[in-house]
């Protein structure tokens, strides 16, 4: 909930949309997720749809990895400050190159900065847990972005594959870029991140694989 509320404020502040429009945008996290069932499990694709996707993938030219992006994605985030600085750096890198992935990162980097500041001023009952969660959550985005950047799209959940491919196309609106990123990261990644840091006394291992 904190991430969603912060994201609403961030989106309204960095783009020409009202708070009410931002709320409507973030409401998509409650809708069915392409590639997931809303709780982090990948949906089983329909056989015909999956065959069509593989056929399209086979015709796509290999993606050339960007060395600048790889320098910001290759190594796992270790601390809150590390995640904050590198996410913001990646957002600027993408924005300077006209990469559509910068739109979601503008929102996400702002959310990360706000939560990091709240951790620093002792706003949480368990700041160590929140810090661990923030770093793990950020690493889910990093792994997905790294897989896409290095041409390993088959390792990506459908939600991230759709979001990243949309970023490559002309004609995608800013709100669409943001909504697709929120859909993939909040409605899909968040549950896995919570499982990995543990909720209460239980620690549950993740079954998701994206590599990196």
């Amino acid at each position: 909930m904190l991430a969603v509320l912060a994201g609403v404020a961030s989106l309204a502040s960095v783009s020409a949309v009202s708070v009410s429009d931002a709320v409507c945008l973030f409401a998509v996290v409650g809708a069915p997720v392409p590639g997931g069932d809303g709780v982090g499990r990948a949906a089983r694709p329909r056989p015909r749809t999956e065959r069509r996707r593989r056929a399209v993938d086979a015709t796509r030219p290999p993606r050339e990895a960007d060395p600048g992006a790889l320098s910001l994605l290759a190594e796992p985030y270790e601390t809150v400050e590390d995640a904050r600085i590198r996410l913001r750096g990646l957002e600027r890198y993408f924005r300077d190159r006209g990469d559509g992935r910068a739109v979601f990162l503008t929102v996400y980097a702002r959310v990360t900065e706000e939560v990091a500041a709240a951790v620093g001023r002792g706003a949480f009952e368990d700041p160590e847990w929140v810090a661990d969660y923030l770093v793990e959550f950020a690493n889910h985005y990093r792994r997905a972005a790294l897989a896409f950047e290095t041409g390993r799209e088959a390792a990506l959940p459908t939600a991230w594959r759709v979001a990243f491919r949309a970023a490559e196309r002309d004609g995608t609106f800013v709100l669409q870029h943001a909504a697709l990123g929120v859909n993939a990261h909040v409605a899909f990644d968040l549950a896995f991140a919570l499982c990995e840091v543990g909720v209460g006394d239980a620690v549950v291992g993740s079954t998701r694989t994206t590599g990196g």
Side-chain angles (χ1 to χ4, degrees):
M1 178 60 72
L2 176 64
V4 173
L5 293 177
V8 168
S10 299
L11 182 60
S13 68
V14 301
S15 59
V17 297
S18 66
V19 171
S20 60
D21 287 339
V23 169
C24 291
L25 168 65
F26 274 72
V28 300
V29 301
V33 186
D37 61 4
V39 294
R41 293 190 299 274
R44 181 176 298 172
R46 297 177 181 178
R48 183 176 300 175
T49 302
E50 182 65 10
R51 286 196 299 269
R52 187 183 304 117
R53 182 186 69 77
R54 288 178 180 173
V56 171
D57 287 350
T59 65
R60 289 171 62 87
R63 181 180 178 82
E64 293 186 10
D66 184 325
L70 289 180
S71 70
L72 294 163
L73 291 168
E75 296 299 323
Y77 303 133
E78 299 290 347
T79 65
V80 169
E81 188 68 2
D82 183 27
R84 183 191 69 79
I85 291 172
R86 287 165 59 195
L87 283 170
R88 181 59 75 185
L90 188 63
E91 180 267 328
R92 289 178 181 139
Y93 187 83
F94 284 157
R95 177 158 41 86
D96 289 346
R97 283 153 183 76
D99 191 316
R101 288 175 291 178
V103 175
F104 170 68
L105 267 178
T106 298
V107 178
Y108 184 41
R110 174 71 178 274
V111 171
T112 301
E113 288 169 349
E114 292 295 325
V115 176
V119 170
R121 65 175 179 267
F124 298 105
E125 183 176 330
D126 190 345
E128 290 185 4
W129 182 90
V130 175
D132 288 344
Y133 162 70
L134 184 150
V135 172
E136 184 60 42
F137 194 38
N139 271 313
H140 274 270
Y141 171 81
R142 183 195 62 80
R143 288 193 293 268
L146 180 63
F148 184 77
E149 193 64 38
T150 54
R152 294 180 291 117
E153 291 188 39
L156 286 170
T158 303
W160 273 125
R161 189 163 52 246
V162 170
F164 289 147
R165 286 184 180 176
E168 294 183 317
R169 294 195 301 268
D170 294 332
T172 304
F173 295 113
V174 169
L175 286 179
Q176 291 174 318
H177 283 306
L180 287 169
V182 169
N183 180 59
H185 199 41
V186 177
F188 189 82
D189 289 342
L190 186 146
F192 285 97
L194 287 174
C195 285
E196 285 157 3
V197 298
V199 179
D201 295 327
V203 178
V204 182
S206 171
T207 59
R208 172 181 170 175
T209 58
T210 54

